[in-house]
Every structure is written in C-alpha cells, then in structure tokens.
Amino acid sequence: MEWGSESAAVSDFHRVPEIIKVSLFYVRSQRTCLRREVGGPTGKSGLALLVTVILLVASRDYLEHITSIGPRTTGSPENEIVTVRYLLEQIKRIEVQSSSVHRISVDVQRPTGSFSIDFLGGFTSYYDNITNVVVKLEPRDGAQHAVLANCHFDSVANSPGASDDAVSCSVMLEVLRVLSASSEALHHAVIFLFNGAEENVLQASHGFITQHPWASLIRAFINLEAAGVGGKELVFQTGPENPWLVQAYVSAAKHPFASVVAQEVFQSGIIPSDTDFRIYRDFGNIPGIDLAFIENGYIYHTKYDTADRILTDSIQRAAGNYMKDFFCALGITLISWFTCLVTVLILAVFVSLIGQSLSWYNHFYVSVCLYGTAAVAKIILIHTLAKKFYYVNASDRYLGEVFFDTSLCVHCVSLVALTYRGLCSAFISAVWVAFPLLTKLCVHKDFKQHGAQGRFIAFYLLGMFVPYLYASYLIWAVFEMFTPILGRSGSEIPPDVVLASILAGCTMILSSYFISFIYLAKSTKSTVLTLTSVCAVTLLLVCSGAFFPYSSHPASPKPKRVFLQHVTRTFHDLDGSVTKRDSGIWINGFDYTGMSHITPHVPEINDSIRAHCEEDAPLCGFPWYLPVHFLIRKNWYLPAPEVSPGDPAHFRLVSKEQTPWDSVKLTFEATGPSHMSFYVRTHKGSTLSQWSLGNGTPVTSKGGDYFVFYSHGLQASAWRFWIEVQVLEERPEGMVTVAIAAHYLSGEDKKSSQLDALRAKFPDWTFPSAWVCTYNLFVF
C-alpha cells in the first residue's frame, strides 16, 4: 500500500508528539488465513502479517476535547455519557468521510461479568453495565479475521488522564480516520476498542473479549497504554510465543523501542501495575503487543496528567600460580561487591531512620552523589587494599589481566544461568561476554608491550563502548521507571534501601571491566578521597533537610500522593445489632515518609490519630479501595461528622440455605454507587468453599481475607451474588464476617464540607485524592 496520500492527509496535525500508530494489514496476495495456534507456521504456510508502524502526528483536538471533560471514572456521567457521546460523534464524522470500499460498524457494549485475577496479591472483580465503544473497519464484503487495537477512555479519580489513556484513544481515532479514507480496501478487518473501565482493574477488556460477538474474529492485538507521560513508546510485553509479531514490528517501525528486560520485569510482579494485555492473553489466548509511555512517571495518575504535558517531540599468566590468583581475584571482587552493597544499605537505613527518606525524589542527582559515590569508593578501596597488602610482588599488567578474566568469568556464569532458566534477558550477559572478549583478543598484543599502554587504553575503551552504552541505556530506563514508583510503593518498603541497592547493582555491573584499571593505576588515593568527600557532603546536606522530596513546579511536578476518605463505619454483631459506629477521615500516604512532611502544614494529622486495626474485621475494618493493605500499614483516622450520601448503599442477606453437601449458602444483594468493595473473612472452623464470582473458586488476598472489587455503569441492576461456607465446627461467634464499602468517586456525593476543608490545608506539592465512602460490617 502506498502511504504518501495518508501522510499528506495528516501533515497538518503537527502539534502533538510523535506517537507510534500501529495498523495491521495482510499482504496483498492470495494468502488469506492467519493461524491462531501458538507456534503455528505463519510464514511457511504461505501466511504473512505486515505490521506497519508509522510515526505520525495525531490530532490534538481529540486529546484536548477528551481531557477537557475532566476526570472520567467508570460510572460517572463524564465517562458514561459525555465521553461516549463525543467518541460516537467523531466516529460518525469519520464514517461519513470514509471511502466506499470500506464498511464501518459501531457497537456500544455494556457488559456485566466477573473474573479472578492474580494481581496485588489476588482478588476477584465484578462489573455491571460498564461501557465499551467498539468500531469495526472492514472491506465492503466483510472479513473473517481481524486485528484489535485497544485503548481506554476512563481515568482514575481526580486525574484528567491525558497520557493514561486519552492520547491513545486520540491516536486510534486518527488511525481510524486515515484508514477509512483510503481508497484501497483492506483484506481483513481492524477492530478499534475504546474501553471505558480499564482503571477498574481491566474490567472492560474482559467484558469485550469474553462476551462480544466480534471477539471471535480477532487473531492479534495491540494495546496502547501509559506508565508515564510522553517520550518513546516502549514495547514492554509481547506474545505469547508468536515471534513474528516482534519481527514484523522491528521491520516496520521507524524507531523501534523494545526490551525483553522490560517484559520480564513487568511480568515478574515487581511493578504494581497491569494492563489489558493480560486479559487478552489469559482470557482470549490471543497474541499481541503492549506499548506504553514510560517517561515522567511522577505525574502518572495525578491531576498533572494534562494534555499540555504530552511533549512534542537507553591478560602474562604466571604459569602454575594463575589459577590460584584467578580464584583469589574472584573472591576479592565478590568481597568488594558485598561490602559495596552493605555500605550503601547502611547509609540508606540511616537516612530512613532520621526521617530524610526520598530526599532524591525531586533531585535524582542526590542519590548518585550519596549512594553512587559510596559504592564506587568502596569497590576502589577494597581493590586498592588488595593490591597493596596481598598482591605485593605481582606485576600490575598481570593483575589487570587476571581481574579482566575474573569479570569475564562472572558474566559468563550469568549468561549460562540466565540461559538455563530460559530468560530472554540472557542476551544482555551475552553482550557483556562477546564484546569484552573480542576486545581482549584485539588488544592483547598491545597490552603486553610496555610502550603501547596509551594505544591499549584507547582500543579497550572503544571495544567496551557498545556494552557500556547499552548498559547505560538500560540503567536509564530502570531509574526512569522505578524512581516515580518508589514514590507510591507504600509505607512498608524503605525506598532509599531499594534505590541504594539498585545503584549498588548498577555500580557492580559498570565497574566490572574497569576493576583492572585499579591495578594498572599508580595511585587511587585522590579518586577515593574525592568520592568520599562528595558522599560525605551530600550526606550532611541530606541530614540537614536541604533536599525536599516533593515539588509543585508546573514544568516538572513531583507531588506527594495522599488518599483522603471521609467514611462512616458501622459494625454489626451476629444478631444484627450495631456494636460500633464511628466517622472520620481515613488518611493514607502512598510513600514511606507517611505524614511527617504534612503535619507541619496540617497539625491535626499527627501520630495521636494513627488508625488502629480492627483485628476481628477483614482488612482491619477500613474501606480499602484495592487490596493494598500489605503495602500501606501506616494510616491516620481523623474524627469527623457522619456522611450521608444522597444515594446510600444498601446491602442485605437475601437467603440462607443449607446445601446437601453440608455447607451454608448465603445469597446477598447490594446496591450503591459505581464503585464498591466487598470483604470476607471466615471464622475459625469455617472455610469459603465457592462463590458465584469469577470461575467459582474464591481467591484470597494477602493476609487470608477475600476482596472483591465491584463497579457498574449507569442504570445498573442490583448486584446479587452468593458465597458458600463450609462449617467444620460450630462456634458461638458465627461462621463468617463480611463487609461492604461504597466509594463515591463522582458527583455531589463525592464531597463533604469537612473533606474540602481538610484538603484545602494541604500544601501545593501534595496531590490529595479525596472522596466519601461508607463501610458496613456484618457477622453471619
């Protein structure tokens, strides 16, 4: 297909960043079938898929219009009515302007369903009457196969969601317009899914892939996501299997940007996030590609994620003594790495204990000056001591060669281990083996000649350029992603310990082939003193509080995230009587510093109002929006008047039945706002055997309680479900405790005067996300 006309057609959209637009076509030949089996012979069977990736300028009008609507939480009129209406209007305009060789079909799907997911410790999700806008672009005579492009137009509460994920939906609208205006017919269909409930933990994609009639046509998909705001789009997940997808992407992308490291890190569960890729892979068994922005994750899911931030533009061997020296060198290297790690961890723990954690969050150079310099200084010091007191009579050149071989051996072991485990990331170790080995062979002669040291160093550095350049790129990507994450990783993980460990690991890798230079150098005293001085000065400045962690600077905000939930809690006993009722504003800080930086500005939030865990209640008796209680154990409960939403939640026991297999079946019915959380804890002598949610098998969250996330669109029916409790031993306190929390994330019910007054006291470098909720606990 000739793309000149399409490029010209969109050349006027020059104000938006270069964004990857993926269109999937089949080559113009007689190949008509795309095999769906994993590992199928897609090429040999005469089948080809051409993935055309074009960097084009997408219409900012779409983006600005969607974000101007404001936050678009599932179940809110802004999401369910205003945004849907806008999308349908634009799709209708595109249809009117489309070529007669195409056929455009539009469907608004409102699915209801549930599923279990192994995310955040595992939980079950239920949705009712949420919204999907689905567009199928196909040849006039129809098509039997299709490619899916997915984005989501909903956002988290209190964020306009420009990068996550309005910009992707804008790109998809533009792709639809360009393709539909082409005068050349497609051989197969492209389905565009604008889903309205991704932020509700992937509900809308599940509703589409498991219920929509067009889902059976899909043979491959591309998911457009965001973990940051702008920059290059990183392909961070692909498959399962089907390497032709990646091959097609690489051959067609003008600037491909992908890494198996990103895939394996993301799928390991280290990063507390997930995308619709999981749903299409697990529930649809469809191969695909996951694309996301990763730069500037500091403002991801905050009020700063606005359209204007989407920017417009990683040997002389000593005969029989060599093996002894080699293993000694290996031991010294490992000792230097171990002491390097211990040193930075001691510094990190000290900084955390004095309350100066995250001092680098707004000034990343602080982490390098504090932990990076300490790590490098300790490695140099250990090897300097070994050279001075152990290798007294050894040749400097000989020692340099031995330690080069030691580093090469370490990377070889890493390569073998990673390959044995089947990890694709083994290619990184291969780079660290191949290039240094080739360099060694090339400069070996110069290394042995006394007058050729300058030439040796020049060639050595040139040979190491590729692995060090690539390693620097990967390290940049790691810090670009993990630094913002450490600002929202909860109150239990000391971020300085994590960052110091990562910096120590990076120092070990980057220093590996330069250890030999320590033994070639005449003196390292000035280097060690300089590094130590920088570390010491930085530590003093950190201890004095010179580096404030957060920033409200408009160009680069790095806010502190705080959740404020004005809640009324009601606890009932086995007889249904109210045993406790209280109200307050439940406060959760998303990072390790807790409220230490907030208290000077809001004195009433202090340790005297620390929230206490209700030991007999699931998840400590608080209205967790998601089951992240194991990450955030420090929270505060400020007494406040009761809340009375205009649309109160209702929860009742519909029936209690004794089953033939000696279990008790409890049927419940709940009505309320668009977002609710249901919690279950079985008592001693009882177990939760099955329920009507997901695949029927209850999934526990961390800690042993059960958590169900529920949401609905507009005009949802009452949520009716059942749980089955196997009673092994009758006990007077009952068999199970259940609780339900109703979260009012939109409309007038979201607000309270006390909540507004408290939020107004927070400094501008914070991002307090506030809403009203109710919590009711029952015992059966």
Short mmCIF file of all heavy atoms in Angstrom, two decimals, residues 267-301:
data_model
loop_
_atom_site.label_atom_id
_atom_site.label_comp_id
_atom_site.label_asym_id
_atom_site.label_seq_id
_atom_site.Cartn_x
_atom_site.Cartn_y
_atom_site.Cartn_z
N GLN A 267 6.34 -8.66 34.03
CA GLN A 267 5.58 -9.86 34.31
C GLN A 267 5.99 -10.55 35.60
O GLN A 267 5.32 -11.47 36.06
CB GLN A 267 5.69 -10.83 33.12
CG GLN A 267 5.04 -10.29 31.86
CD GLN A 267 5.07 -11.25 30.70
OE1 GLN A 267 5.66 -12.33 30.78
NE2 GLN A 267 4.44 -10.88 29.59
N SER A 268 7.10 -10.11 36.23
CA SER A 268 7.52 -10.71 37.49
C SER A 268 6.65 -10.25 38.65
O SER A 268 6.65 -10.85 39.71
CB SER A 268 8.98 -10.32 37.79
OG SER A 268 9.08 -8.93 38.08
N GLY A 269 5.90 -9.18 38.45
CA GLY A 269 5.05 -8.66 39.52
C GLY A 269 5.71 -7.60 40.37
O GLY A 269 5.12 -7.10 41.33
N ILE A 270 6.99 -7.23 40.04
CA ILE A 270 7.69 -6.21 40.82
C ILE A 270 6.98 -4.87 40.71
O ILE A 270 6.86 -4.12 41.68
CB ILE A 270 9.15 -6.08 40.34
CG1 ILE A 270 9.90 -7.38 40.59
CG2 ILE A 270 9.85 -4.91 41.02
CD1 ILE A 270 11.31 -7.38 40.04
N ILE A 271 6.50 -4.57 39.52
CA ILE A 271 5.84 -3.29 39.28
C ILE A 271 4.36 -3.43 39.62
O ILE A 271 3.67 -4.30 39.07
CB ILE A 271 6.02 -2.85 37.82
CG1 ILE A 271 7.52 -2.67 37.52
CG2 ILE A 271 5.24 -1.58 37.54
CD1 ILE A 271 7.81 -2.34 36.10
N PRO A 272 3.83 -2.61 40.52
CA PRO A 272 2.43 -2.76 40.95
C PRO A 272 1.46 -2.19 39.93
O PRO A 272 0.74 -1.23 40.20
CB PRO A 272 2.40 -1.97 42.26
CG PRO A 272 3.41 -0.90 42.05
CD PRO A 272 4.51 -1.52 41.23
N SER A 273 1.44 -2.79 38.75
CA SER A 273 0.57 -2.30 37.69
C SER A 273 0.28 -3.42 36.71
O SER A 273 1.02 -4.41 36.66
CB SER A 273 1.23 -1.11 36.96
OG SER A 273 0.34 -0.55 36.03
N ASP A 274 -0.79 -3.29 35.95
CA ASP A 274 -1.10 -4.29 34.93
C ASP A 274 -1.88 -3.60 33.83
O ASP A 274 -2.38 -2.48 34.00
CB ASP A 274 -1.90 -5.45 35.52
CG ASP A 274 -1.51 -6.78 34.88
OD1 ASP A 274 -1.09 -6.77 33.70
OD2 ASP A 274 -1.62 -7.81 35.55
N THR A 275 -1.99 -4.28 32.67
CA THR A 275 -2.68 -3.70 31.52
C THR A 275 -3.65 -4.71 30.92
O THR A 275 -3.66 -5.88 31.29
CB THR A 275 -1.68 -3.27 30.43
OG1 THR A 275 -1.18 -4.45 29.76
CG2 THR A 275 -0.51 -2.49 31.02
N ASP A 276 -4.43 -4.22 29.97
CA ASP A 276 -5.39 -5.09 29.29
C ASP A 276 -4.71 -6.22 28.53
O ASP A 276 -5.38 -7.18 28.14
CB ASP A 276 -6.24 -4.26 28.31
CG ASP A 276 -7.23 -3.37 29.03
OD1 ASP A 276 -7.79 -3.80 30.05
OD2 ASP A 276 -7.45 -2.24 28.55
N PHE A 277 -3.38 -6.12 28.32
CA PHE A 277 -2.63 -7.20 27.67
C PHE A 277 -2.90 -8.53 28.37
O PHE A 277 -3.10 -9.57 27.73
CB PHE A 277 -1.14 -6.88 27.71
CG PHE A 277 -0.26 -7.90 27.04
CD1 PHE A 277 0.18 -7.72 25.74
CD2 PHE A 277 0.15 -9.04 27.73
CE1 PHE A 277 0.99 -8.65 25.12
CE2 PHE A 277 0.98 -9.97 27.13
CZ PHE A 277 1.39 -9.78 25.82
N ARG A 278 -2.91 -8.49 29.71
CA ARG A 278 -3.15 -9.72 30.48
C ARG A 278 -4.50 -10.35 30.14
O ARG A 278 -4.62 -11.57 29.99
CB ARG A 278 -3.11 -9.41 31.99
CG ARG A 278 -3.50 -10.59 32.85
CD ARG A 278 -3.88 -10.13 34.26
NE ARG A 278 -2.71 -9.82 35.04
CZ ARG A 278 -2.18 -10.66 35.93
NH1 ARG A 278 -2.71 -11.85 36.11
NH2 ARG A 278 -1.12 -10.30 36.62
N ILE A 279 -5.52 -9.53 30.02
CA ILE A 279 -6.86 -10.04 29.76
C ILE A 279 -6.94 -10.72 28.40
O ILE A 279 -7.46 -11.84 28.27
CB ILE A 279 -7.90 -8.90 29.84
CG1 ILE A 279 -7.88 -8.28 31.25
CG2 ILE A 279 -9.29 -9.40 29.49
CD1 ILE A 279 -8.26 -9.23 32.36
N TYR A 280 -6.41 -10.05 27.35
CA TYR A 280 -6.47 -10.64 26.01
C TYR A 280 -5.62 -11.91 25.93
O TYR A 280 -5.97 -12.86 25.23
CB TYR A 280 -5.99 -9.62 24.98
CG TYR A 280 -6.86 -8.39 24.94
CD1 TYR A 280 -6.32 -7.11 25.00
CD2 TYR A 280 -8.25 -8.50 24.87
CE1 TYR A 280 -7.13 -5.97 24.99
CE2 TYR A 280 -9.06 -7.38 24.85
CZ TYR A 280 -8.49 -6.12 24.92
OH TYR A 280 -9.29 -5.01 24.90
N ARG A 281 -4.49 -11.93 26.67
CA ARG A 281 -3.63 -13.11 26.69
C ARG A 281 -4.27 -14.26 27.45
O ARG A 281 -4.32 -15.40 26.97
CB ARG A 281 -2.28 -12.75 27.32
CG ARG A 281 -1.30 -13.91 27.42
CD ARG A 281 -0.18 -13.56 28.37
NE ARG A 281 -0.67 -13.37 29.73
CZ ARG A 281 0.02 -12.78 30.68
NH1 ARG A 281 1.21 -12.26 30.44
NH2 ARG A 281 -0.49 -12.66 31.91
N ASP A 282 -4.76 -13.99 28.65
CA ASP A 282 -5.25 -15.04 29.53
C ASP A 282 -6.66 -15.51 29.20
O ASP A 282 -6.98 -16.69 29.31
CB ASP A 282 -5.19 -14.58 30.98
CG ASP A 282 -3.76 -14.36 31.45
OD1 ASP A 282 -2.82 -14.72 30.71
OD2 ASP A 282 -3.58 -13.83 32.56
N PHE A 283 -7.54 -14.58 28.84
CA PHE A 283 -8.93 -14.94 28.59
C PHE A 283 -9.25 -15.08 27.10
O PHE A 283 -10.26 -15.69 26.76
CB PHE A 283 -9.87 -13.90 29.22
CG PHE A 283 -9.84 -13.89 30.71
CD1 PHE A 283 -8.97 -13.07 31.41
CD2 PHE A 283 -10.67 -14.74 31.43
CE1 PHE A 283 -8.94 -13.06 32.80
CE2 PHE A 283 -10.65 -14.74 32.83
CZ PHE A 283 -9.79 -13.91 33.51
N GLY A 284 -8.42 -14.52 26.22
CA GLY A 284 -8.67 -14.64 24.80
C GLY A 284 -7.68 -15.52 24.06
O GLY A 284 -7.91 -15.89 22.91
N ASN A 285 -6.56 -15.86 24.73
CA ASN A 285 -5.49 -16.66 24.10
C ASN A 285 -5.08 -16.06 22.77
O ASN A 285 -4.95 -16.75 21.76
CB ASN A 285 -5.95 -18.11 23.92
CG ASN A 285 -4.78 -19.03 23.59
OD1 ASN A 285 -3.64 -18.76 23.98
ND2 ASN A 285 -5.05 -20.10 22.87
N ILE A 286 -4.90 -14.74 22.76
CA ILE A 286 -4.58 -14.02 21.52
C ILE A 286 -3.19 -13.41 21.67
O ILE A 286 -2.88 -12.80 22.69
CB ILE A 286 -5.62 -12.90 21.27
CG1 ILE A 286 -7.02 -13.50 21.18
CG2 ILE A 286 -5.30 -12.14 19.99
CD1 ILE A 286 -8.11 -12.46 21.16
N PRO A 287 -2.35 -13.52 20.64
CA PRO A 287 -1.03 -12.87 20.70
C PRO A 287 -1.17 -11.38 20.46
O PRO A 287 -2.06 -10.93 19.75
CB PRO A 287 -0.26 -13.55 19.57
CG PRO A 287 -1.32 -13.93 18.59
CD PRO A 287 -2.52 -14.32 19.40
N GLY A 288 -0.25 -10.62 21.06
CA GLY A 288 -0.34 -9.18 20.88
C GLY A 288 0.92 -8.46 21.32
O GLY A 288 1.92 -9.06 21.69
N ILE A 289 0.85 -7.13 21.25
CA ILE A 289 1.95 -6.25 21.63
C ILE A 289 1.42 -5.20 22.59
O ILE A 289 0.34 -4.65 22.39
CB ILE A 289 2.57 -5.57 20.38
CG1 ILE A 289 3.25 -6.62 19.49
CG2 ILE A 289 3.58 -4.50 20.78
CD1 ILE A 289 3.84 -6.03 18.23
N ASP A 290 2.19 -4.93 23.66
CA ASP A 290 1.81 -3.94 24.66
C ASP A 290 2.76 -2.74 24.56
O ASP A 290 3.96 -2.88 24.74
CB ASP A 290 1.92 -4.56 26.05
CG ASP A 290 0.86 -4.01 27.00
OD1 ASP A 290 0.07 -3.15 26.57
OD2 ASP A 290 0.84 -4.43 28.16
N LEU A 291 2.23 -1.57 24.26
CA LEU A 291 3.02 -0.35 24.10
C LEU A 291 2.65 0.64 25.21
O LEU A 291 1.48 0.77 25.55
CB LEU A 291 2.72 0.31 22.75
CG LEU A 291 3.35 -0.29 21.50
CD1 LEU A 291 2.56 0.15 20.28
CD2 LEU A 291 4.78 0.15 21.36
N ALA A 292 3.66 1.34 25.75
CA ALA A 292 3.35 2.33 26.78
C ALA A 292 4.41 3.42 26.83
O ALA A 292 5.58 3.17 26.57
CB ALA A 292 3.25 1.66 28.15
N PHE A 293 3.95 4.64 27.20
CA PHE A 293 4.89 5.71 27.54
C PHE A 293 5.48 5.39 28.91
O PHE A 293 4.78 4.90 29.79
CB PHE A 293 4.16 7.06 27.64
CG PHE A 293 3.48 7.49 26.37
CD1 PHE A 293 2.10 7.57 26.31
CD2 PHE A 293 4.22 7.82 25.25
CE1 PHE A 293 1.47 7.98 25.16
CE2 PHE A 293 3.60 8.23 24.08
CZ PHE A 293 2.21 8.31 24.04
N ILE A 294 6.78 5.69 29.13
CA ILE A 294 7.37 5.43 30.44
C ILE A 294 8.05 6.65 31.05
O ILE A 294 8.41 6.63 32.22
CB ILE A 294 8.40 4.27 30.38
CG1 ILE A 294 9.58 4.64 29.47
CG2 ILE A 294 7.74 3.00 29.95
CD1 ILE A 294 10.75 3.69 29.57
N GLU A 295 8.21 7.72 30.27
CA GLU A 295 8.92 8.89 30.81
C GLU A 295 8.03 9.69 31.75
O GLU A 295 6.82 9.75 31.60
CB GLU A 295 9.43 9.78 29.68
CG GLU A 295 10.61 9.19 28.94
CD GLU A 295 11.23 10.18 27.98
OE1 GLU A 295 10.86 11.37 27.98
OE2 GLU A 295 12.09 9.74 27.21
N ASN A 296 8.67 10.33 32.72
CA ASN A 296 7.99 11.24 33.65
C ASN A 296 6.81 10.59 34.36
O ASN A 296 5.69 11.11 34.35
CB ASN A 296 7.52 12.51 32.91
CG ASN A 296 7.25 13.65 33.88
OD1 ASN A 296 7.54 13.56 35.06
ND2 ASN A 296 6.67 14.71 33.37
N GLY A 297 7.06 9.42 34.97
CA GLY A 297 6.01 8.74 35.71
C GLY A 297 5.61 9.42 37.00
O GLY A 297 4.70 8.97 37.69
N TYR A 298 6.29 10.54 37.34
CA TYR A 298 5.95 11.24 38.57
C TYR A 298 4.52 11.76 38.56
O TYR A 298 3.87 11.85 39.61
CB TYR A 298 6.90 12.43 38.78
CG TYR A 298 8.35 12.05 38.91
CD1 TYR A 298 9.21 12.12 37.81
CD2 TYR A 298 8.86 11.62 40.12
CE1 TYR A 298 10.54 11.76 37.92
CE2 TYR A 298 10.20 11.28 40.25
CZ TYR A 298 11.03 11.36 39.15
OH TYR A 298 12.34 11.01 39.26
N ILE A 299 4.02 12.14 37.40
CA ILE A 299 2.69 12.74 37.37
C ILE A 299 1.63 11.77 36.84
O ILE A 299 0.48 12.16 36.65
CB ILE A 299 2.70 14.04 36.53
CG1 ILE A 299 3.08 13.75 35.08
CG2 ILE A 299 3.64 15.05 37.14
CD1 ILE A 299 3.08 14.99 34.22
N TYR A 300 2.01 10.52 36.61
CA TYR A 300 1.07 9.46 36.22
C TYR A 300 0.01 9.30 37.31
O TYR A 300 0.31 9.26 38.49
CB TYR A 300 1.88 8.18 36.02
CG TYR A 300 1.13 6.89 35.96
CD1 TYR A 300 0.49 6.49 34.80
CD2 TYR A 300 1.12 6.03 37.05
CE1 TYR A 300 -0.16 5.28 34.74
CE2 TYR A 300 0.47 4.81 37.00
CZ TYR A 300 -0.17 4.44 35.84
OH TYR A 300 -0.82 3.22 35.77
N HIS A 301 -1.24 9.30 36.89
CA HIS A 301 -2.39 9.16 37.79
C HIS A 301 -2.50 10.32 38.77
O HIS A 301 -2.91 10.14 39.92
CB HIS A 301 -2.32 7.83 38.57
CG HIS A 301 -2.81 6.66 37.78
ND1 HIS A 301 -3.11 5.43 38.36
CD2 HIS A 301 -3.05 6.51 36.46
CE1 HIS A 301 -3.51 4.59 37.43
NE2 HIS A 301 -3.48 5.22 36.26
#
